[in-house]
Amino acid sequence: MPSPAERPSVLFVCIHNAGRSQMAAAFLTHLAGDRIEVRSAGSAPADTVNPAVVEAMAELGIDISAEVPKVLTVEAVQASDVVITMGCGDTCPFFPGKRYLDWELPDPAGQGVAAVRPIRDEIEKRIRGLVDEIAPAS
């Protein structure tokens, strides 16, 4: 088990930190446990996590009902090894030496749970690939 200082850290960023980035952070925490440090934030955070997103994740047994959207800080980016943006475009700060991935995913804002499910499933698929790449199970 890597020490906290040796664990890779991942930051998920979207505009409102109410949907895609919350799902991605929850999947990464669920799948990697404490092998990876997980953060999520938004450039213009919403007041609450999207209820359809909470419901879609609950269908898989992952409870994110207590999560709160967080504001993106320079410190969060600096403290992360991998920064995955999800539709925040130029509002995401850029630091040399960080690994950036941009995941183009539909925004679940204003969508019902039926529309959120395929977004959730695509995020889960990408997270599984990320875990295998940066923190494979021993």
Side-chain angles (χ1 to χ4, degrees):
M1 176 75 60
S3 74
E6 296 167 334
R7 289 186 307 172
S9 59
V10 177
L11 170 65
F12 296 99
V13 182
C14 64
I15 295 171
H16 301 299
N17 189 220
R20 294 166 290 190
S21 56
Q22 290 283 354
M23 287 190 282
F27 273 126
L28 187 54
T29 299
H30 180 74
L31 296 169
D34 54 8
R35 296 193 323 257
I36 299 174
E37 186 177 1
V38 181
R39 298 179 182 87
S40 73
S43 52
D47 293 328
T48 60
V49 174
N50 178 334
V53 165
V54 172
E55 184 180 340
M57 294 300 286
E59 291 176 351
L60 299 181
I62 300 173
D63 180 7
I64 63 169
S65 60
E67 294 298 325
V68 177
K70 295 168 276 309
V71 69
L72 177 64
T73 64
V74 169
E75 293 77 22
V77 177
Q78 288 175 321
S80 301
D81 299 310
V82 180
V83 178
I84 299 176
T85 57
M86 303 171 153
C88 66
D90 297 335
T91 63
C92 294
F94 181 84
F95 291 93
K98 301 290 175 196
R99 179 173 174 203
Y100 286 86
L101 301 172
D102 186 39
W103 290 358
E104 294 273 336
L105 296 158
D107 188 346
Q111 304 288 326
V113 72
V116 172
R117 285 184 193 115
I119 302 167
R120 173 201 68 196
D121 295 346
E122 176 62 23
I123 290 172
E124 180 181 17
K125 187 174 90 181
R126 293 182 190 201
I127 292 296
R128 287 184 182 280
L130 181 70
V131 170
D132 289 345
E133 180 186 335
I134 68 171
S138 45

